[in-house]
Amino acid sequence: MLDIRTFGPQGGNVLYKALAHPVAANALVAMEQAFAGQTLAVYDPDDTARTLAALYPGLRPACIYVHDTEQVGLPDGFGGTKRALVDLPHTEADLVLALSFEDEKMRTRLDGLLGSRTLHTLAPARLPDSMIVTGRPYLDRLNFATNFSFFRDDGRFATRLVTANYWSSYGAENLRYWMQLYDHTGQIIANWEQKVEDPASGIIVDSSEVRTRFDLPAFTGQLFIHVLGARGHDVVKYALDTWGKNGDQSLSVTHDANAWPSVRYATLPAPEGDEKLRVWIQNSHATVIPKGAITFNPMGHEDHRGVDREIGPFETYAVDVNALFPDLTWPAQLEMRSGRHLVRPRYEIEQRGRTRIAHLNVERDNLRPDPAIKAFPPSLGRGFLLPFPILDPKHFESFIQPNPMSESLETLPVRLDIFDENGMQTASHFLGNLPRDHSTAIALHDLTDRPGHADLVYDFRDGGEGDGWLHALMRYRNRESDHAAETSFGAHIFNTLMTWRSEPQSYSGPPPGLTTRLFLKLGHSELRSFCCLIHPASIEGTSKSETVLLLHGADGSLIAETTIHIAPSGSFMVRPHELFDGAHLKRAGEGGYVLIRDLTCRLFGYHGLDNGHGGFSLDHMFGF
């Protein structure tokens, strides 16, 4: 496992992103090569050494020096103890490396302690000035608004990344998307910048256009994205469509990766009898993933089966899950132990000539069951709930599978509350106090004959524990076309005036989150977009929503708007081609989108594309 720190009070995630950035990686790999065969004394002012050595093993220190007197004598994580900085002149190491990007500051601080040794710093790994925000500290999070995306274009599939310039609402100007494309071997095959000049404009990165522009062969790899000039926050959000070419009927959608690596991932379904399941391993770092470092196991069982080969820097490799577990079938589920080598992986299911792609979710290693969840006051009502659509049972099958999503959770005491589109509860179904290794999938179309949605909620009538990280996988299938789609998400507290810790969450700002700003892309070619918009309600007695749908053109201009009202615990199927005039949609053009705004409540939605022939995609939406 990579011993890296991605979060902490000193901004560990920023430090990790600064060290792992591909531009920094070039310099740090060169530093590894230059220092080869020599011992390294490291001055570590900000507890950086373990993360650096995990990402770049050639920079492993022989000894570590610190200026904090309380740290002197403590284990250094490399088999020794931390030494006092004033003892640096007596080091037996060949080289001195100060783990700071501030070269001049380090040279001033360490002058007189080096003797005849040359001082090295992390300055060669700094991003160029053109990529950072003037006037901010180098390790400011806005300098590292970065993310990865699965990206593919070949004879069968194309991909398209779609988002909007939401940064302009925070005052960003002169925005640029810096992108670097890797093929399956981890080699860079394209690098470019995309200027975003218009506020609120749509943003599209199309794999076929990129392939043509750079005259590329077929590729399946990953796209690294760095938003230069970001404001407001450092989260790079997008939707990623994948569709078949040359007669292939595949269509699916997934979304942005978490920009930090996790120890484990879950929400991975075992394959059905006629499905082929592969997990795309995409190395997020410039160091090799060792053979066997990534493993899979049936949820709740210690039967670990590893990836039987090394995976090179930034390489993409498809793991054949059927081959690893030939006797394991849905509704069993798996977890992936990734050792912090990659950000959120995707999985791809091939069944009866079509494929669908979805993502795994972070399984928390820092979360424990919390007795307080069992004793919520009436002001929090049903507390945590996970809302998800029930598509019209006349035409669709809808399934849900609850997923354990923290390492310490052993039970899942849950219930389904089912509502029609008007917010009327039509059924409630207690699933029981499920064990961690359960193989349960519930067919919603057998519990109701109406479209609407259901909430997965905690129910402790038979005991069990809750950790507030309640997740589930949702799977849908068109009865006529046999086309399927799936997504997964986690629970929140919705639309209560009273708060508990960070809940109800807000798209921006502190809790309670009582407003909505959701992005719904428009379709392209014969594909039309839709979203199932849900008004989740942890408590009863709240009012209908006052939801405004704002149609924006690709250039960000506001073209038209309309208002809808959704009852608490109700839902509404938003289809832009039914709600807006055709001339307005044509004017919006490719790259246009609908911004869903509500100042009275927080809505949640699931979006997708429909090809008009029974093919569809579906995933949860993002807000900003």
Side-chain angles (χ1 to χ4, degrees):
M1 180 187 299
L2 288 182
D3 185 14
I4 58 178
R5 179 168 59 96
T6 58
F7 280 99
Q10 282 75 45
N13 195 39
V14 178
L15 175 63
Y16 159 73
K17 291 170 80 173
L19 292 173
H21 194 289
V23 171
N26 291 336
L28 293 169
V29 168
M31 193 178 290
E32 285 184 295
Q33 296 168 350
F35 293 174
Q38 303 179 81
T39 56
L40 199 61
V42 164
Y43 169 45
D44 190 13
D46 301 307
D47 191 21
T48 307
R50 285 179 299 168
T51 297
L52 180 72
L55 295 172
Y56 306 97
L59 299 181
R60 181 184 175 91
C63 48
I64 292 180
Y65 293 84
V66 294
H67 60 248
D68 184 346
T69 55
E70 293 183 315
Q71 292 291 311
V72 175
L74 297 179
D76 63 10
F78 299 95
T81 57
K82 296 179 181 179
R83 306 180 184 183
L85 180 59
V86 293
D87 293 334
L88 181 60
H90 309 297
T91 186
E92 63 276 19
D94 299 319
L95 301 170
V96 176
L97 173 63
L99 302 188
S100 171
F101 292 95
E102 307 298 331
D103 187 82
E104 185 175 348
K105 181 185 293 185
M106 290 300 103
R107 295 189 183 281
T108 300
R109 182 178 302 179
L110 301 182
D111 185 39
L113 298 176
L114 300 171
S116 61
R117 294 178 179 84
T118 301
L119 175 64
H120 302 270
T121 70
L122 299 178
R126 284 179 66 106
L127 302 182
D129 290 345
S130 61
M131 296 182 73
I132 62 176
V133 180
T134 303
R136 288 183 177 270
Y138 181 70
L139 291 179
D140 188 292
R141 62 191 179 91
L142 294 182
N143 283 333
F144 295 94
T146 61
N147 215 327
F148 283 93
S149 174
F150 180 84
F151 214 56
R152 172 167 63 181
D153 198 279
D154 55 26
R156 187 178 177 189
F157 298 109
T159 48
R160 174 180 285 199
L161 184 151
V162 184
T163 185
N165 180 11
Y166 54 86
W167 315 91
S168 63
S169 64
Y170 298 99
E173 297 178 346
N174 302 317
L175 202 71
R176 293 173 290 147
Y177 273 58
W178 185 93
M179 287 173 276
Q180 189 151 282
L181 179 61
Y182 298 87
D183 67 9
H184 70 282
T185 69
Q187 297 300 307
I188 299 170
I189 56 175
N191 181 290
W192 73 98
E193 285 189 11
Q194 183 168 323
K195 292 183 178 180
V196 184
E197 298 177 345
D198 295 323
S201 58
I203 298 169
I204 294 175
V205 186
D206 186 277
S207 64
S208 297
E209 188 276 330
V210 170
R211 186 176 173 188
T212 298
R213 189 196 330 170
F214 294 101
D215 192 23
L216 300 175
F219 61 82
T220 298
Q222 56 183 330
L223 183 66
F224 180 80
I225 308 157
H226 187 169
V227 178
L228 308 179
R231 293 289 189 276
H233 59 74
D234 61 340
V235 182
V236 181
K237 300 186 177 187
Y238 60 80
L240 182 73
D241 295 311
T242 299
W243 66 93
K245 301 191 295 187
N246 301 318
D248 191 296
Q249 295 300 306
S250 301
L251 177 62
S252 59
V253 62
T254 181
H255 68 285
D256 55 279
N258 293 316
W260 66 91
S262 175
V263 176
R264 301 190 198 186
Y265 292 90
T267 62
L268 177 61
E272 290 191 60
D274 64 343
E275 290 180 339
K276 294 181 179 179
L277 171 63
R278 64 181 66 92
V279 174
W280 290 102
I281 305 295
Q282 297 189 295
N283 191 347
S284 300
H285 305 126
T287 189
V288 170
I289 301 175
K291 176 181 177 180
I294 293 178
T295 65
F296 296 83
N297 60 277
M299 179 63 74
H301 298 275
E302 299 301 315
D303 177 13
H304 300 280
R305 305 185 187 184
V307 179
D308 193 26
R309 55 158 284 184
E310 289 185 342
I311 300 173
F314 302 109
E315 183 181 352
T316 291
Y317 175 70
V319 176
D320 184 344
V321 178
N322 298 68
L324 285 180
F325 296 95
D327 300 322
L328 195 68
T329 59
W330 167 269
Q333 55 182 303
L334 298 123
E335 65 179 349
M336 172 185 176
R337 306 202 180 193
S338 63
R340 297 198 185 101
H341 286 287
L342 60 158
V343 300
R344 179 188 287 149
R346 269 78 171 183
Y347 66 89
E348 185 169 31
I349 294 174
E350 185 166 358
Q351 183 184 40
R352 297 191 285 274
R354 299 187 185 92
T355 68
R356 59 187 187 271
I357 295 180
H359 62 79
L360 285 75
N361 278 304
V362 168
E363 186 177 343
R364 297 277 292 275
D365 63 351
N366 60 346
L367 200 60
R368 300 292 181 270
D370 194 329
I373 296 174
K374 296 182 180 181
F376 274 170
S379 59
L380 295 179
R382 292 180 296 150
F384 285 97
L385 54 88
L386 167 55
F388 61 94
I390 299 176
L391 301 182
D392 188 346
K394 295 184 184 67
H395 305 291
F396 292 90
E397 297 176 338
S398 301
F399 300 89
I400 182 172
Q401 179 185 68
N403 308 120
M405 289 301 293
S406 62
E407 294 182 11
S408 62
L409 192 69
E410 294 298 329
T411 59
L412 277 170
V414 287
R415 180 184 80 239
L416 286 168
D417 293 337
I418 299 173
F419 301 87
D420 66 14
E421 292 178 316
N422 296 318
M424 179 177 295
Q425 185 168 342
T426 60
S428 184
H429 183 71
F430 180 54
L431 277 61
N433 185 19
L434 302 175
R436 182 177 181 87
D437 64 351
H438 78 89
S439 295
T440 301
I442 303 298
L444 280 299
H445 50 276
D446 291 338
L447 301 178
T448 182
D449 60 357
R450 307 181 202 176
H453 90 281
D455 295 331
L456 183 69
V457 300
Y458 286 119
D459 190 321
F460 300 104
R461 70 180 77 175
D462 286 349
E465 300 175 309
D467 59 9
W469 196 240
L470 180 62
H471 276 67
L473 178 139
M474 288 73 72
R475 177 173 289 181
Y476 303 91
R477 188 177 298 277
N478 186 302
R479 293 180 184 270
E480 297 177 4
S481 69
D482 195 42
H483 194 105
E486 57 197 67
T487 184
S488 55
F489 197 67
H492 293 284
I493 298 173
F494 282 94
N495 294 312
T496 62
L497 286 174
M498 300 302 292
T499 65
W500 186 73
R501 299 179 185 171
S502 62
E503 299 284 345
Q505 288 189 9
S506 172
Y507 291 108
S508 62
L514 297 174
T515 63
T516 301
R517 186 194 298 267
L518 288 170
F519 171 82
L520 173 61
K521 64 181 181 292
L522 298 180
H524 59 94
S525 302
E526 78 282 4
L527 301 173
R528 291 177 168 178
S529 69
F530 67 90
C531 83
C532 179
L533 193 58
I534 302 169
H535 183 174
S538 291
I539 59 173
E540 297 181 354
T542 54
S543 302
K544 283 187 175 183
S545 73
E546 294 283 341
T547 308
V548 182
L549 308 178
L550 303 161
L551 176 63
H552 286 264
D555 62 357
S557 61
L558 178 61
I559 294 174
E561 64 180 80
T562 188
T563 300
I564 60 173
H565 305 278
I566 307 174
S569 294
S571 57
F572 186 93
M573 190 63 77
V574 176
R575 300 185 186 276
H577 61 279
E578 294 177 354
L579 294 170
F580 294 103
D581 181 86
H584 289 155
L585 291 170
K586 184 176 180 180
R587 180 180 162 197
E590 199 164 310
Y593 62 94
V594 176
L595 182 64
I596 300 171
R597 284 291 278 138
D598 200 302
L599 301 178
T600 66
C601 62
R602 185 183 181 188
L603 306 175
F604 195 71
Y606 293 77
H607 74 114
L609 294 172
D610 186 327
N611 68 7
H613 306 289
F616 68 102
S617 59
L618 190 141
D619 193 16
H620 62 83
M621 304 174 74
F622 65 81
F624 42 78

